[in-house]
Amino acid sequence: MTTPEIAQPRSSTRAVSLKGGGRNRSGQTNFELYSWLFMRLSGLALVVLVLGHLFVNLMLGGGITALDFGFVAGKWANPLWQVWDLLMLWLAMLHGTNGLRTITNDYAEKDQTRFWLKALLITASIVIVVLGTLVIFTFDPCLDPSSTLSVCSK
Amino acid sequence: MWSWVAHRITGVGIFFFLLVHVLDTALVRVSPAAYNEVIGTYKNPIIGLLEVGLVAAILFHAFNGIRLILVDFWAKGPRYQRQMMIGVGVVWVVLFVPFVIRHLSHVFGG
């Protein structure tokens, strides 16, 4: 029988093996800690971003009846709303993806099922975040021939 | 316990709406007509009622989330978690009632 090699506490070999990779003593990263903290910080920001979004789009003016291409064009003519929507998109998608990851880890018991569900989740999330970001940055208000925005009146 | 379950259920529901909502908004890159047609379905009375459900879920998730943050980070949070649950209910009603009145009067053309 061979005795497993266990380094002395505080010996140099042990210190080296614990260093790097952001890993703690049990050989795990702090990923779950940062994810827990991110849910709380992004959640706080999202309360303001999402409730502000709902108030401006559904409560002010004509509410849902006023929503059309011109409404979006008018909003995104203002850099404040571009930044607002971009932040909301990224934070909400990361917050939601991380939440579904936690739920998948809790309820999908088979390794295979868990792996494929998370692969699907992450793929879908990347597609949506990239698409949404491109839409905000490449939006062209003058696609609408009847646009009354000053940028289109040339 | 039930608030923990409700937080998960509302969270999953909001997430799937978000996926669809980014896709429908992406139609502004296709054409004004395509966007207007699809956003028009959101003005339909049945979908209008689903939007009331969506906002109900968002308001619960938002304020229950703030309660969770206070339980985790505020020293007295765990002691007052029950009172804070009542607070979540009060804030929920105060914001939800005006929303329902205004939104349904838009949807049903009041």
Side-chain angles (χ1 to χ4, degrees), chain A residues 7-93:
Chain A
Q8 286 290 324
R10 298 186 185 84
S11 70
S12 58
T13 46
R14 189 166 192 274
V16 166
S17 72
L18 289 174
K19 247 190 184 171
R23 284 162 196 280
N24 62 20
R25 277 160 179 258
S26 58
Q28 292 167 326
T29 65
N30 284 326
F31 181 77
E32 292 302 336
L33 171 69
Y34 294 129
S35 132
W36 175 88
L37 190 62
F38 171 77
M39 289 311 263
R40 276 135 191 89
L41 295 175
S42 60
L44 222 46
L46 282 165
V47 171
V48 177
L49 291 169
V50 174
L51 296 193
H53 174 75
L54 289 172
F55 183 76
V56 170
N57 291 24
L58 296 182
M59 295 288 279
L60 295 183
I64 195 141
T65 55
L67 300 189
D68 61 7
F69 186 89
F71 179 88
V72 178
K75 247 185 132 184
W76 282 349
N78 182 344
L80 168 80
W81 287 118
Q82 287 186 308
V83 173
W84 187 293
D85 288 355
L86 190 70
L87 261 177
M88 190 165 58
L89 170 74
W90 277 76
L91 290 179
M93 284 303 297

Side-chain angles (χ1 to χ4, degrees), chain A residues 40 59 61 67 69 106, chain B residues 8 29 36 43 51 72 102:
Chain A
R40 276 135 191 89
M59 295 288 279
L67 300 189
F69 186 89
D106 279 358
Chain B
R8 289 195 157 192
R29 286 297 291 128
N36 290 346
K43 303 169 189 176
E51 284 146 17
D72 284 346
R102 185 141 177 86

Side-chain angles (χ1 to χ4, degrees), chain B:
Chain B
M1 173 67 193
W2 71 263
S3 69
W4 177 83
V5 175
H7 202 77
R8 289 195 157 192
I9 293 173
T10 52
V12 171
I14 295 163
F15 182 73
F16 283 106
F17 168 74
L18 176 61
L19 297 185
V20 174
H21 187 46
V22 174
L23 293 175
D24 68 57
T25 305
L27 290 173
V28 294
R29 286 297 291 128
V30 177
S31 77
Y35 180 76
N36 290 346
E37 179 166 345
V38 170
I39 217 72
T41 60
Y42 281 107
K43 303 169 189 176
N44 168 296
I46 295 167
I47 309 293
L49 289 174
L50 287 176
E51 284 146 17
V52 170
L54 174 71
V55 171
I58 290 173
L59 289 175
F60 170 79
H61 197 88
F63 293 102
N64 190 56
I66 290 179
R67 179 182 139 265
L68 292 179
I69 292 171
L70 288 171
V71 169
D72 284 346
F73 289 105
W74 179 35
K76 291 178 183 169
R79 202 193 308 165
Y80 291 114
Q81 70 91 15
R82 217 160 233 298
Q83 287 89 327
M84 289 196 290
M85 195 69 242
I86 296 165
V88 170
V90 170
V91 176
W92 187 89
V93 171
V94 165
L95 294 178
F96 183 67
V97 170
F99 168 76
V100 173
I101 295 170
R102 185 141 177 86
H103 186 65
L104 291 185
S105 64
H106 284 139
V107 170
F108 292 96

